[in-house]
Amino acid sequence: MRGRARGGFGGDHEARRRAQSTDFVDYRPYQPGDDFRRIDWNLYGRLGTLEVKLTQARERLDVLVVLDCSASMACGLATNLQFAVELGAALAYVGMLRADSVRIAYIGADEAKFGPFAGRAQLRVLLDSLARIAPGGAVDLNTSLERCISGANASGTLVVLVSDLLAPGGIAPGLESLLARKVEVAVVHVVGEDQLDPHFTGEVSLVDAESGEAIELGVSLETLAAYRGRFQRWLDECQAQCRMRGVRYARVRSDRPLATAMLDDLRSAGILR
Amino acid sequence: MLLAPLALAGLLVPLVIYAIHWLFGTRRIIRVPAAFLWADLPQVRSGRSRRRIPPFTWLLLLQLAAASLLVLALARPTWATDAPRHVAFIVDASGSMQATDVGPTRFAAAREAALQRLAALRATDEVSLIRAGNSATLVASGSPESVKTALQAMQPGLTVPAIREALALASTRIDQSPGRSGQIVLFTDGAWAPPDSIGPLSAPVEVVPTGGGSNNQAITSLVVRMDPTGLAQTAFVEVANESDAPARISTRLQADGAPMDERRLDVAPRTRARFSVALPTDAHHVRVELASRDALNLDDALEAAAPGGPVREIDVLGPASDGLRRALESVPRTRIRTGDSNAPADLSVLSGILPPRLPAGPLLLVNPPASAGRLLGVGLGSGERVEPNHPLLQGLDLTTLQEQAPTIGGVPGWARVVFGTQAGPLIMEGTLEGHPVVCLTFDPTISGLEKSLAFPLLISNATAFLVAEAERGAIPTNTEAFDSAESDIAPRPIPAFAEAAPKAEAAPGNAEVWPWAAVASVAVLGLEWLVFARRG
């Protein structure tokens, strides 16, 4: 995963500060107080000036995968939640391969966190944790986002939010609260096929999966066309809110293979390298 | 028409279904991830009011249709159909139907027309197939399909058609089906004389004509006679132009395969011409034929056995009178055997006897014993009949024969009456136990016939006939001989057939359609279930 490391040395990410390592970065003139073991004597032999070698350390990355387990994620033919869990597991595995510190948090009727997990040896534990996730409940996404990193020294943490972003007022408050904690945020927006292109007509009663609110509607082809237009505008708005705040945004479809989302969608969005 | 109109009260059921949709109709509930995305979209109806006029969805329409069809089935709707019919097909199987003025023959064309009419009938109709040949025969009856095979196998005959009998038979058959509307269809070429009287028929007659030309010439007679001197024979030939236009008729005459005469005759329409050809005394088999082609081939050739040829030997058994012996001796080229001989005679004359074991060869029975079982009459009728064109009666004065008294009163099963009176048959011919036989069932000595000129001529005819038949193999008693009247193939005016007082109109049939309505109802219900299942 792409990000500056804050989780300690030994990782696969470039550290923000210079530190002793074997990764050469630059030279600078020797100053009194410098460890003269770092003076490059070969350079002194050629140029006659004392230069000190600068190196950069590799650090581990704190990754927090936040899974939206609200009832809306479990609605539809191909449930977004199942896809989100698989995607979260895949992201956690990638992070564990690169010696990152991976934690899982899910927000729903019951909020919980798992981890940290480090190293492939803990993959089984991570998967068992994910298997216990159950959907349900109405979730205020913004509040839950703020709460999921409260009480932790989250600065420098990479927060990957996997969610359908279905909040009537938008997710701008939630993103703002995360960014205020100086964390790096990436949003993976999971969209189902039946959300993009619903196939029902006639007199229906549409029930909100989370709030239970019902809307009686006579659905015609014109209604469906208007819905598709509105949904597309809402998607664009979500993307714009993320871009506006420097949040990386990737939209994935739950009816497509997971590999497509990992290799195409997340890479093109800059979330995965 | 509805057989159970009270069932229409069930039409309230669709109204009830509609009312249920109106009062208790529920919307389809669909869970969506977020309802706020669906708010305030353009829609068909607001859906705010629960009790509203339900829209005519596919589901509602299918339910209404299924209920309506079910009610319709319960009401047992019918529609009127034509009454079942009984159609009698009479096919003219006369000799003229073998004319080829329509291809391949008139009979084949008539049969094809009958097959087409047969195919147009319904399976519930009844058909009687009658062949109008020498007699009227009911060939088959039943459904159109069961009659088809018999019609395809039907063949024409050689005689005049028994139209009157065929119409009577058809009328009788139709009378036996009182519940059906009858019709008689006559397939004929019309080449027959109108029957004397045809009573009222039980059904109207439709005539389907076939053919219509008259171009036919015929050889109507071939007789070969030996001169009284026994030194020469003469063939007498008669040709007829049955056409309505003059014709030049070419003839060829052969004796024992050798051409003897060729000539052309200009014959006026509807007239006959005669000529004679001198033949050698040893000529035995004579054939005359037309060289020109015409519409009917059956009458274009005749064959006859000439009295000439080798001398025939005759055995006379029983108490033969002198007159009979003189008559036999006067027959040219015959000889009465006197001594015993093991070789079979060419002709055996049994006078007054009929032994249990018959001698070989043809037999001439003269005054056989009336008590003989072989002469026992079979069937009804005395045998009153005259066949003036039969070879046995050639040149005879029939009035002389009418005075004879027959010794038997019935016609044996093996015999065919050539001449007979109300008292019984006088002259018969046929095949008895494999022997060609001519039987004179009277005593010529009593009436004095043997002293008249007719008796030697009758014996001569019988001798020539039996010898010719023996040489031909056997007398074909059961096969038809071509009737010269059939040479006139021109159609005659078809008489008007009277229909008897029309019987009560056959009640029209009623075809019930409730099974179809029931099946349609079930099908619509299945479709409704499918729509419901797909809608979820």
Side-chain angles (χ1 to χ4, degrees), chain B residues 2-280:
Chain B
L2 299 174
L3 297 183
L6 285 179
L8 286 182
L11 284 177
L12 291 173
V13 174
L15 296 178
V16 170
I17 290 176
Y18 190 82
I20 289 174
H21 275 257
W22 179 43
L23 295 174
F24 307 106
T26 57
R27 291 171 175 272
R28 191 155 44 117
I29 297 175
I30 297 176
R31 290 181 76 242
V32 291
F36 68 89
L37 291 171
W38 291 91
D40 301 327
L41 288 176
Q43 56 181 304
V44 177
R45 286 184 179 82
S46 66
R48 304 288 181 192
S49 172
R50 184 176 182 82
R51 289 187 181 178
R52 67 194 184 283
I53 296 176
F56 281 96
T57 60
W58 278 112
L59 207 58
L60 175 60
L61 290 176
L62 289 172
Q63 288 173 357
L64 294 178
S68 302
L69 286 170
L70 195 59
V71 170
L72 188 66
L74 291 174
R76 295 180 63 192
T78 62
W79 60 56
T81 58
D82 295 337
R85 303 168 67 195
H86 187 161
V87 183
F89 284 178
I90 300 175
V91 182
D92 182 354
S94 63
S96 63
M97 289 293 281
Q98 299 194 45
T100 57
D101 55 343
V102 290
T105 64
R106 289 181 179 182
F107 186 82
R111 188 171 52 196
E112 186 60 31
L115 284 170
Q116 290 178 2
R117 295 293 289 265
L118 197 65
L121 296 178
R122 294 169 301 182
T124 54
D125 292 336
E126 185 178 350
V127 179
S128 293
L129 179 61
I130 297 170
R131 179 181 183 272
N134 190 26
S135 60
T137 310
L138 178 64
V139 177
S141 65
S143 67
E145 190 61 32
S146 64
V147 169
K148 185 177 179 182
T149 306
L151 178 59
Q152 288 171 330
M154 189 182 285
Q155 295 297 326
L158 300 174
T159 63
V160 294
I163 295 294
R164 182 173 177 276
E165 291 80 358
L167 289 170
L169 179 57
S171 183
T172 304
R173 290 287 304 169
I174 290 174
D175 268 340
Q176 293 170 355
S177 303
R180 296 172 178 269
S181 64
Q183 188 184 15
I184 300 173
V185 186
L186 174 58
F187 300 90
T188 180
D189 59 356
W192 37 270
D196 294 337
S197 65
I198 299 177
L201 302 172
S202 61
V205 179
E206 179 189 358
V207 178
V208 179
T210 179
S214 63
N215 177 25
N216 186 42
Q217 292 79 42
I219 295 177
T220 54
S221 176
L222 169 63
V223 178
V224 183
R225 295 201 180 279
M226 181 70 74
D227 288 352
T229 59
L231 301 178
Q233 329 184 75
T234 305
F236 300 93
V237 181
E238 182 183 73
V239 297
N241 177 21
E242 302 288 359
S243 171
D244 293 328
R248 172 166 289 184
I249 302 175
S250 300
T251 62
R252 279 196 298 262
L253 188 142
Q254 297 173 329
D256 296 329
M260 300 297 294
D261 180 76
E262 281 190 13
R263 66 181 67 199
R264 290 181 178 174
L265 303 169
D266 291 324
V267 184
R270 298 282 176 187
T271 57
R272 303 189 173 201
R274 299 172 185 83
F275 63 93
S276 60
V277 179
L279 300 175

Side-chain angles (χ1 to χ4, degrees), chain A residues 72 75 166-168 195 198 200-201 203-209 215-218 220 222-224 226-227 230-231 234, chain B residues 26-50 52 55 57 535:
Chain A
S72 64
C75 182
L166 285 172
Q195 286 178 280
F200 54 82
T201 55
E203 293 292 327
V204 295
S205 181
L206 301 178
V207 179
D208 192 294
I215 298 178
E216 292 189 346
L217 203 61
S220 64
E222 182 187 5
T223 310
L224 292 179
Y227 166 79
R230 173 180 291 183
F231 190 73
W234 177 79
Chain B
T26 57
R27 291 171 175 272
R28 191 155 44 117
I29 297 175
I30 297 176
R31 290 181 76 242
V32 291
F36 68 89
L37 291 171
W38 291 91
D40 301 327
L41 288 176
Q43 56 181 304
V44 177
R45 286 184 179 82
S46 66
R48 304 288 181 192
S49 172
R50 184 176 182 82
R52 67 194 184 283
T57 60
R535 203 186 73 161

